[in-house]
Each structure stands twice: as C-alpha cells, then as structure tokens.
Amino acid sequence: MCAALAGFTLAKRLPSNVQKFVHPLFICAAGTFLAAALWILLEHPGLHTMDVIRIYSDWPGGGALLYFLLPIAVVSLGLLLFENRLLIKKDLGPILATAACSTTVTI
C-alpha cells in the first residue's frame, strides 16, 4: 500500500508533458510491482514469485483476509447506493451511458 501511494505521489509530481505521455496510474502500478519484486528478492531470496503469491493467498495471508472482508465491502457499497437512490435515479441516464461506453471500449 505504501509503495502504491508513493508511486502515485511521485508520478503526480512529474512534469505535465511526462504525465500526458504516461498516466500516473501506470507509473503507480509499475512502482508497486517493482516494490513487490524487490521485497521478494530481499526478504525471500530462494522463493519464486508464484510461491509468494501462493503464501499470500493462503490463510492467514493478506489475500485470504481481503477475500474474507469482500462481502462486508459489497454490503457497505450496497447501503451507500440505497441511501443515494434518489440521486442515482435522477442521474441514471449519464450513469448508463458511461457504463455502456466503457463496456464497449473494453470489450
């Protein structure tokens, strides 16, 4: 998390002509992957990347914990949507248009 935040902060501090060429989120993702690769090399020199991912996904790893918390996040989002249902109903046209355009582009 710290690596992602640091990568995004550093990317936003780059000159605007660099940010026009490479979006800060790509630099953030690259920084996060680089930090993860360095962590694997420094902390677990004998392990391969897939071994670390397997350890992370098994309980009590962070991946299993996040997967455990996923239903809570979904319910929280659902409650926020329910509380703002009048606003969502009012702006339904732009919401659906944006979703349709992004779906079309990503397919």
Side-chain angles (χ1 to χ4, degrees), residues 3-66:
L5 184 60
F8 187 74
T9 303
L10 292 174
K12 289 298 286 181
R13 291 180 167 253
L14 292 174
S16 62
N17 57 354
V18 175
Q19 289 185 24
K20 287 180 184 177
F21 182 70
V22 180
H23 196 277
L25 287 177
F26 290 120
I27 297 171
C28 171
T32 304
F33 288 138
L34 179 67
L38 285 174
W39 175 73
I40 292 169
L41 283 174
L42 295 175
E43 290 293 320
H44 308 285
L47 288 178
H48 296 288
T49 305
M50 292 309 294
D51 295 332
V52 174
I53 292 173
R54 197 172 304 110
I55 293 168
Y56 180 77
S57 298
D58 291 339
W59 192 262
L65 179 64
L66 290 174

Side-chain angles (χ1 to χ4, degrees), residues 70-83:
L70 184 63
I72 299 167
V74 170
V75 169
S76 299
L77 179 61
L79 287 173
L80 283 173
L81 289 173
F82 182 75
E83 288 176 356

